[in-house]
Amino acid sequence: MITSTIHLAETILKNNGIIGFPTETVYGLAGSAFSDKAIHTIFQLKNRPHNNPLIVHIGSVHQLEGIVREIPPKANVLINQFWPGPLTLLLKKSSRISDLVTAGQDTVAIRMPSHPLALELLNSIDFPLVAPSANPYQSISPTMPKHVDSYFGAKIPLILDGGPCSKGIESTIVGFEGDQVIVYRLGAITLEDLESCVGTVLENNKSHEKIKSPGMAKKHYSPKTPLLCSSFIRNDIQKYVSKKIAVVYFDELDDLESNEGIDCYSFQGDLQYASANLYGLLHDLDSRNYDIIIIEKFPDLGLGKTLNDRIERASFKH
Ligand code: TXA
Ligand code: MG
């Protein structure tokens, strides 16, 4: 059932059930963060390894008190600036948060989404929600109710319809070590946004020591159709002569449009637009039987860095 009222969703969640949950980033598969049964069901539905922890969603800052042991000063600054919104903080968990949620880690990932329906629901129940993106492990995150429906259909009783996700890309995840802010996943909040708020931050998502976000595994966010992330579209196209190709440009279409067997799409040079629409486009293209999807790399700044991270992980070439 797809509905835009929260009443039935509340009842399902109170009874340890799972729903499709709209946020401004991507849709989540949500259940009570205090229900082992709900947590187990989420891992099972997603076919997600149990060592990959879940994000806890709250509706007000007061809820932090029960679930974390401390809030570093820079976390407070970021909360004031970016919540509600697409920023997830790794904070030391209290005993109220089970090891199932955090995969045994001492920190719990927490965010307050800004989607009005998500906030309304979170504030109508007296427990936080765990919600990983509502896709099977390693596939493209959903940005519309129909994506969630096609992944899980009758396996979940309800999808709360909040329309298309305005950001369209996952939240940015940051943690704290001493006075240092560390970025574990780039997302809808850019490095520039963070640095203008708390000064220099460290990027952990590429080269750094141990992997703290297991979900940052190299292969991720993948369509079934092979995807190639390209800096030289013209050259790469030559390698797939006589194949059915979709080409996705960041900026202008060029005269490839007139080539037979090649369909071209463009984000019109707009990073916000690209972020809001990338996953939706990949879902569409994936259903059209192309032999290959070739995506032009984005300019490597702001949201472009996040989008490059996603298409590189979705690509079959690393
Ligand atoms: O935008 C989002 O964050 C969406 C919406 C639904 O809120 N959720 C989302 O969840 O993207 P998920 O589970 O698909 O990705 C969460 C990532 C995973 O890579 C996981 O490994 C990491 O967060 N994570 C969760 N808890 C963590 C923790 N305690 N320490 C380190 N990484 C953690
Ligand atoms: Mg995910």
Side-chain angles (χ1 to χ4, degrees), residues 134-294:
N135 52 278
Y137 185 54
Q138 294 187 328
S139 49
I140 313 166
S141 297
T143 54
M144 296 180 197
K146 68 175 183 188
H147 301 151
V148 184
D149 195 36
S150 73
Y151 281 141
F152 298 105
K155 289 186 187 154
I156 52 175
L158 183 142
I159 298 168
L160 190 57
D161 184 354
C165 302
S166 59
K167 301 289 181 193
I169 202 99
E170 295 82 356
S171 62
T172 298
I173 301 179
V174 304
F176 305 89
E177 264 168 41
D179 196 38
Q180 184 66 60
V181 177
I182 303 168
V183 180
Y184 291 100
R185 176 176 74 180
L186 277 174
I189 302 282
T190 64
L191 283 179
E192 293 87 338
D193 293 335
L194 292 171
E195 292 196 328
S196 70
C197 187
V198 289
T200 308
V201 299
L202 265 181
E203 274 187 84
N204 181 80
N205 57 330
K206 296 234 167 69
S207 56
H208 251 253
E209 15 140 30
K210 63 178 180 171
I211 297 179
K212 203 160 181 179
S213 275
M216 296 312 286
K218 264 197 160 182
K219 184 171 163 53
H220 208 159
Y221 313 103
S222 303
K224 289 188 212 78
T225 314
L227 182 145
L228 179 68
C229 168
S230 169
S231 305
F232 305 99
I233 297 238
R234 280 179 172 284
N235 292 359
D236 284 330
I237 284 172
Q238 305 309 320
K239 300 175 196 155
Y240 300 94
V241 183
S242 79
K243 299 282 185 201
K244 192 176 168 209
I245 307 176
V247 175
V248 183
Y249 286 96
F250 170 57
D251 213 335
E252 309 259 301
L253 302 175
D254 64 19
D255 54 8
L256 288 173
E257 258 179 303
S258 54
N259 279 23
E260 242 179 69
I262 301 183
D263 292 338
C264 296
Y265 303 84
S266 160
F267 293 122
Q268 332 262 325
D270 181 340
L271 284 173
Q272 304 257 7
Y273 177 82
S275 158
N277 292 286
L278 174 68
Y279 288 163
L281 181 62
L282 290 180
H283 278 282
D284 275 358
L285 296 180
D286 211 16
S287 66
R288 290 197 209 160
N289 300 317
Y290 287 106
D291 295 313
I292 183 159
I293 302 168
I294 303 181

